[in-house]
Amino acid sequence: MLKIEHLTKTYADKKAVDDLSLHILPGEIYGFIGHNGAGKTTTLRSVVGILQFDSGEIFIDGKSVKADPLACKRETAYIPDNPDLYDYMTGIKYLNFIADIFGVSAADRQVRIREYAGRFDLTDDLAQPIAAYSHGMKQKLAIIAAWLHQPKLIIMDEPFVGLDPKAAHLLKGMMRELCDEGGAIFFSTHVLEVAEKLCDKVAIIKDGRLIRSGTMEEVKGDDSLEEVFLELEDEAC
Amino acid sequence: MLKVLLKKQLGEIFRSYFYDAKKNRARSKAATAAYIVLFVGLMVGVLGGMFTYLSLAICRPLMAVGMDWLYFALLGGLSVLLGVFGSVFNTFSSLYLAKDNDLLLSMPIPVPVIMASRLLSVYLMGLMYSGVILLPAVIVYWIVGSASVGAIVGSLLLLVLVSIFVLTLSCALGWVVAKVSLKLKNKSFITVLISLVFLGGYYFFYFKAQSMITDLLANAAEYGAKIKGAAYPVYLFGRVGTGDWLAMLAVAAVVLALFGLMWALISRSFLRIATSTGRTARRVYRERAAKCRGTGAALLAREMGRFVSSPNYMLNCGLGVVLLPVCAALLLWKGGVLVQTLNAVFGERASTVPLLLCAAVCMIAGMNDMAAPSVSLEGKSLWLVQSLPIRPWQVLRAKLAVQLLLTEIPALLCVLCLAAVCSLSPAELLTAVLLVLSCGLLLALLGLVLGLKMPNLAWTSEITPIKQSGCVLIALFAGMLYTVLLCVGFFALSGWKLGFAGYTAVFAAATLAVSAGLYLWLRKRGPAVFAAL
């Protein structure tokens, strides 16, 4: 579903991502772990086509992000670490805007908005301007918008930040649901317990370089993910 | 603390002079110096020059009849008007709507210090706007009139007092706007409506100013006596500039008392208004059948939604939307008299009057520059359009379409009214329409190119990209320059020899040629520049 090959991105004279390669298959929830500034967000933003990278290739469902960005974006949804949405729109206008861009039919969008907004207890607030939303409400709206066009691949940067426990639980369920239906999820997180329980595979990045990746069992063995992560961080130092 | 906050405020306002957002690095010293020289040139050379001319015209006649105080009262009043007009919305935005209010309030900074830093930046803006009138007036007075110690102290004190009074008035009006906007629904349109009423009054006064000044100069002694009798504070205000110590004391006391009152008033409500979420009554969502739109229509609706959601955006970048239909109506109503009057002045060339009217339409169309700040206004939500399956050109086209729709339709209406009033032939009508529409196209394209070349995505108050960015300033001046060039070509370069239809056709062709160049740049380079932001 997502193949990253030798991705390299440099800011000024600093390599934010250095020769990173990953392969995410349909049905997989793939966790992406690393300290602050390790290159997680740069990688995610490169995958969704926001950042232009220096070298390497990214393929989504076999299509190159460089050669055919629109086709890749049609299959993808992205939730950034800080959901800066259009404050001047109401929640429902925002969802309709996203649905228009992805060409979701009136009937489908109505059913999905009803379902997802209902799940996240956001229905009553959809007529409110986004400017009046709390951080958590914006995050919920961004999640609904991401699921609205039924993407094959969802990229999320710290998706659980700001969510209440119920919404976080719901999101985990939705992630599993999407992957059970053949989709894939690639997300970054600092919450290692969540990654350990939720992810099928995990990748650990430090200073832009991939230091370990594989199934959860391969990466952590008999230890906890936290222990392995801290150990690897120390080794790399 | 205050110094640090003020530095931050000013740094934000003048950020584009020191920082190149496109390259994400500081500008070179030479580039910064060039920007500052350009800004100072515009403020001092253009605006300052205009008011120096006005001061020179009225100073000597008023002094001749012993009405020095009236000179200062007039120009002081004018500078208060311009100062308040220029800074009232800036006050509202930077005092109550700044995005870093929450951040600063969460830090161990006393609330009065935050308020003072905001007010100081407003003060400096007001000082800039009022000083551009009063400073030339003071210098002219020293040269033409008196440069005694009293006059120097008095006129400088007047400058200071006017700037404080401008701050007081701006804050009072900004406070009213903030209070009202907390309770209003459809506040964007109501704010625009109220502002337009103010603006209408301002322009009414502005257009009447010339005849009023002529009348005043002819009957200065009579008016002076009347003002002194009926509005003694105005007399005292004017006397400050002439160096009257008693007037200086009295006016300074009143201005400072008013400022103290305003400070007390704002101190009591600043925290509540600044931390208010701006919520009105909560509207509960009721499901309705959704209307599907194509990508282009959805992007256009998004841009339109952005434009109408912000009074600042509408007022600063869309005045032409209102003024063009008003001009069309005025042409139909008073056009005959206007054409007659203009014919009496420029009668020897039949094509002069329609050309001047066309130039006026172009100038008003040039007041629309919503495309220029539209790129910067994407701000932190830029990631959305960059991650959606749309081409950058589609986004840019929607930005362009908003300005074209909101400018070309009312401009066309205006030209049709102009054609009816001036009895243009079909060929003349065609070229007039072509000229005005091509002007609208050129300015929209130029605005968007400038917006792409000079982006500022890291603003904390939307007033920064809307009002204080270089691209908006240049786009506005480009509109004026276009009008000037149109007239210069006609009058100074003998364009009139081609006749109205010939000259406008040639000028429209030249405009379209430049527009084509800008369009090609936007099509070829624009998407890549936008994608790389």
Side-chain angles (χ1 to χ4, degrees):
Chain A
M1 182 65 72
L2 171 64
K3 193 182 258 186
I4 302 172
E5 288 178 346
H6 308 292
L7 176 69
T8 301
K9 169 73 188 173
T10 309
Y11 293 114
D13 52 352
K14 185 184 181 269
K15 270 192 176 169
V17 180
D18 188 4
D19 196 32
L20 183 107
S21 295
L22 277 177
H23 191 186
I24 298 166
L25 300 170
E28 282 181 352
I29 298 181
Y30 211 118
F32 200 29
I33 297 166
H35 60 84
N36 293 331
K40 302 186 296 295
T41 299
T42 300
T43 305
L44 299 183
R45 287 167 69 88
S46 301
V47 169
V48 292
I50 296 175
L51 269 186
Q52 289 157 359
F53 44 92
D54 306 329
S55 60
E57 258 297 2
I58 298 173
F59 298 96
I60 293 175
D61 207 16
K63 297 167 202 100
S64 162
V65 166
K66 264 187 181 169
D68 197 356
L70 288 196
C72 293
K73 288 175 182 179
R74 275 189 210 105
E75 310 286 356
T76 317
Y78 172 57
I79 301 174
D81 52 348
N82 203 0
D84 289 306
L85 310 176
Y86 298 131
D87 280 354
Y88 53 90
M89 288 186 184
T90 61
I92 188 67
K93 276 191 180 162
Y94 175 71
L95 293 177
N96 275 317
F97 169 71
I98 297 292
D100 284 334
I101 296 294
F102 281 98
V104 181
S105 72
D108 284 347
R109 75 175 73 172
Q110 199 151 7
V111 170
R112 289 175 202 159
I113 289 172
R114 193 184 302 150
E115 184 193 336
Y116 295 128
R119 283 195 204 181
F120 283 106
D121 290 333
L122 204 65
T123 309
D124 285 351
D125 296 297
L126 287 179
Q128 291 282 94
I130 295 174
Y133 281 22
S134 67
H135 183 278
M137 287 162 81
K138 284 184 190 174
Q139 187 74 353
K140 288 176 185 177
L141 191 68
I143 293 167
I144 297 169
W147 256 259
L148 200 54
H149 67 282
Q150 296 195 320
K152 287 183 180 171
L153 173 69
I154 297 185
I155 309 292
M156 296 188 281
D157 199 351
E158 296 288 348
F160 298 103
V161 174
L163 288 182
D164 56 55
K166 187 187 166 195
H169 177 74
L170 262 169
L171 176 60
K172 288 175 212 164
M174 283 165 66
M175 288 163 76
R176 177 52 61 200
E177 221 172 84
L178 184 122
C179 291
D180 288 346
E181 287 164 6
I185 284 173
F186 184 38
F187 78 104
S188 72
T189 183
H190 288 300
V191 190
L192 299 182
E193 291 82 1
V194 169
E196 194 168 348
K197 284 182 187 161
L198 192 62
C199 298
D200 303 305
K201 285 185 180 168
V202 69
I204 300 174
I205 182 174
K206 184 175 167 61
D207 297 332
R209 296 186 77 87
L210 190 69
I211 51 176
R212 188 170 294 187
S213 66
T215 62
M216 191 57 74
E217 288 69 33
E218 284 168 355
V219 170
K220 75 181 183 75
D222 293 331
D223 299 320
S224 72
L225 186 59
E226 188 180 30
E227 284 167 337
V228 174
F229 176 72
L230 293 175
E231 199 177 296
L232 286 170
E233 285 277 305
D234 288 343
E235 271 175 27
C237 285
Chain B
M1 185 86 77
L2 186 64
K3 197 176 156 192
V4 173
L5 290 180
L6 183 64
K7 199 174 164 191
K8 180 203 79 74
Q9 287 281 114
L10 294 177
E12 200 167 282
I13 293 175
F14 295 104
R15 187 168 186 264
S16 58
Y17 292 72
F18 300 94
Y19 171 75
D20 186 343
K22 202 174 98 184
K23 293 176 184 160
N24 195 23
R25 65 173 187 226
R27 289 190 192 283
S28 67
K29 280 184 183 167
T32 298
Y35 273 91
I36 292 172
V37 166
L38 179 70
F39 179 73
V40 172
L42 285 173
M43 290 303 287
V44 177
V46 179
L47 285 175
M50 211 166 79
F51 288 109
T52 305
Y53 177 74
L54 176 69
S55 304
L56 281 167
I58 65 172
C59 186
R60 209 182 293 275
L62 285 175
M63 281 195 66
V65 289
M67 291 283 160
D68 307 31
W69 66 269
L70 193 54
Y71 169 75
F72 282 111
L74 264 177
L75 289 166
L78 209 59
S79 68
V80 168
L81 267 180
L82 188 73
V84 172
F85 183 71
S87 59
V88 63
F89 286 102
N90 181 46
T91 313
F92 174 52
S93 305
S94 57
L95 206 58
Y96 298 113
L97 297 182
K99 283 194 172 180
D100 58 349
N101 266 341
D102 285 357
L103 175 71
L104 295 184
L105 286 169
S106 71
M107 290 187 191
I109 306 171
V111 174
V113 175
I114 300 175
M115 244 179 69
S117 70
R118 305 264 196 243
L119 288 184
L120 264 172
S121 78
V122 173
Y123 173 77
L124 291 175
M125 290 295 284
L127 180 67
M128 190 174 77
Y129 281 111
S130 56
V132 92
I133 297 180
L134 208 49
L135 202 58
V138 165
I139 294 169
V140 165
Y141 184 76
W142 291 346
I143 296 167
V144 175
S146 161
S148 65
V149 175
I152 290 173
V153 173
S155 49
L156 288 178
L157 180 69
L158 185 70
L159 188 67
V160 174
L161 291 178
V162 161
S163 61
I164 296 174
F165 189 56
V166 163
L167 172 68
T168 308
L169 272 183
S170 297
C171 288
L173 288 173
W175 179 78
V176 172
V177 172
K179 290 286 268 188
V180 171
S181 73
L182 273 181
K183 296 184 178 167
L184 278 180
K185 284 182 182 175
N186 298 323
K187 59 181 84 162
S188 303
F189 286 109
I190 292 171
T191 310
V192 168
L193 195 70
I194 293 170
S195 310
L196 285 176
V197 171
F198 272 110
L199 199 73
Y202 181 84
Y203 276 104
F204 178 78
F205 178 78
Y206 180 80
F207 285 120
K208 287 271 180 191
Q210 186 59 47
S211 59
M212 281 161 74
I213 288 170
T214 313
D215 187 34
L216 186 82
L217 291 179
N219 308 289
E222 188 191 337
Y223 283 123
K226 275 186 186 168
I227 292 170
K228 194 176 165 183
Y232 197 71
V234 175
Y235 168 70
L236 274 184
F237 175 69
R239 289 286 296 168
V240 173
T242 62
D244 181 332
W245 297 98
L246 203 63
M248 284 191 234
L249 264 175
V251 174
V254 171
V255 167
L256 292 176
L258 285 174
F259 175 73
L261 195 68
M262 181 276 301
W263 176 270
L265 191 71
I266 288 187
S267 300
R268 283 177 56 189
S269 59
F270 174 74
L271 202 57
R272 198 177 63 75
I273 298 177
T275 53
S276 139
T277 56
R279 284 184 200 218
T280 50
R282 184 168 179 265
R283 288 199 342 243
V284 176
Y285 171 65
R286 300 264 174 269
E287 191 178 289
R288 284 186 212 149
K291 285 179 199 159
C292 290
R293 290 186 176 116
T295 304
L299 288 169
L300 182 63
R302 182 188 77 111
E303 292 295 336
M304 280 288 187
R306 182 71 184 90
F307 180 67
V308 299
S309 71
S310 163
N312 277 322
Y313 197 8
M314 286 192 273
L315 278 170
N316 286 291
C317 304
L319 266 184
V321 180
V322 178
L323 290 182
L324 283 168
V326 167
C327 284
L330 277 176
L331 272 173
L332 287 180
W333 182 37
K334 292 271 187 183
V337 182
L338 180 69
V339 169
Q340 239 176 11
T341 315
L342 288 172
N343 268 329
V345 181
F346 302 100
E348 75 271 22
R349 288 179 209 140
S351 51
T352 304
V353 174
L355 185 102
L356 283 176
L357 292 177
C358 272
V361 175
C362 289
M363 194 167 79
I364 298 168
M367 293 169 107
N368 282 358
D369 61 342
M370 49 286 270
S374 63
V375 174
S376 296
L377 281 171
E378 294 283 349
K380 288 176 182 165
S381 54
L382 180 70
W383 67 271
L384 258 160
V385 281
Q386 287 181 331
S387 65
L388 290 173
I390 42 179
R391 291 184 179 87
W393 170 243
Q394 288 176 295
V395 180
L396 297 179
R397 196 173 53 194
K399 293 182 187 300
L400 206 56
V402 170
Q403 181 159 339
L404 288 175
L405 280 173
L406 295 178
T407 307
E408 302 292 46
I409 294 170
L412 183 64
L413 181 75
C414 228
V415 179
L416 292 177
C417 294
L418 184 157
V421 169
C422 296
S423 308
L424 296 183
S425 70
E428 287 172 331
L429 170 64
L430 186 72
T431 56
V433 167
L434 198 65
L435 175 76
V436 171
L437 295 189
S438 63
C439 166
L441 176 67
L442 172 77
L443 295 177
L445 288 164
L446 179 69
L448 192 55
V449 168
L450 290 169
L452 279 168
K453 296 290 265 179
M454 306 164 80
N456 173 10
L457 298 163
W459 42 269
T460 51
S461 168
E462 67 170 15
I463 201 76
T464 309
I466 289 172
K467 204 172 176 180
Q468 294 156 352
S469 64
C471 60
V472 171
L473 195 73
I474 297 174
L476 274 176
F477 274 97
M480 293 178 200
L481 184 68
Y482 184 87
T483 312
V484 170
L485 287 177
L486 183 64
C487 294
V488 166
F490 188 78
F491 293 107
L493 304 176
S494 306
W496 54 271
K497 286 180 182 166
L498 299 171
F500 177 77
Y503 180 70
T504 46
V506 168
F507 210 89
T511 307
L512 286 173
V514 179
S515 303
L518 291 171
Y519 179 80
L520 283 175
W521 186 91
L522 272 177
R523 280 301 271 140
K524 284 186 177 172
R525 303 281 304 278
V529 173
F530 186 75
L533 286 176

